[in-house]
Amino acid sequence: MNRQPLWQYEQISAEIMREINTGKLKIGQKLPSEKELCDLFDVSRITVRKALADLEERNYIEKHQGQGSFVKDRFDPRQVLLIHQDCIYNNKVTTFT
């Protein structure tokens, strides 16, 4: 099966995800502005906005209107609670006395 090349916005979001996953971009750190990303990747603003929307949807960043985009802490304590509740429901929890 031939794999199609990534769209430009996918390449940009993959690069930013890589920088987040490797620690080059830290939690809470502000990303470059849309204009700076356009210049850095030599793409249109629409492409950058689509990449940022993709990153936000994947829970890598959060956008603050008028302030910019920031690396998000991907650890969600609610997920731990849901997993714990699921384990209890399915009798998969071992208790120690």
Side-chain angles (χ1 to χ4, degrees):
M1 179 170 93
N2 289 338
R3 185 156 155 71
Q4 295 295 321
L6 294 176
W7 294 96
Q8 284 182 318
Y9 83 90
E10 292 173 317
Q11 293 172 1
I12 294 166
S13 59
E15 174 63 22
I16 294 172
M17 281 189 280
R18 186 187 64 74
E19 290 187 5
I20 292 170
N21 290 333
T22 61
K24 187 173 179 183
L25 289 171
K26 309 281 186 218
I27 294 169
Q29 185 174 347
K30 184 178 179 184
L31 270 60
S33 70
E34 289 181 2
K35 171 79 170 96
E36 291 169 329
L37 290 171
C38 288
D39 294 342
L40 180 65
F41 291 103
D42 193 28
V43 295
S44 71
R45 194 169 197 164
I46 293 170
T47 302
V48 166
R49 285 185 175 179
K50 189 157 173 105
L52 293 175
D54 182 50
L55 290 166
E56 187 175 37
E57 184 178 311
R58 292 173 183 243
N59 214 25
Y60 275 88
I61 66 167
E62 54 190 353
K63 295 190 229 174
H64 298 279
Q65 187 173 358
Q67 296 178 4
S69 299
F70 297 83
V71 177
K72 188 173 181 180
D73 184 354
R74 297 187 70 217
F75 174 73
D76 185 352
R78 293 173 294 182
Q79 287 299 106
V80 174
L81 180 60
L82 290 174
I83 292 168
H84 181 71
Q85 288 172 339
D86 184 56
C87 288
I88 291 171
Y89 180 76
N90 291 308
N91 292 321
K92 294 181 181 176
V93 175
T94 303
T95 56
F96 299 97
T97 54

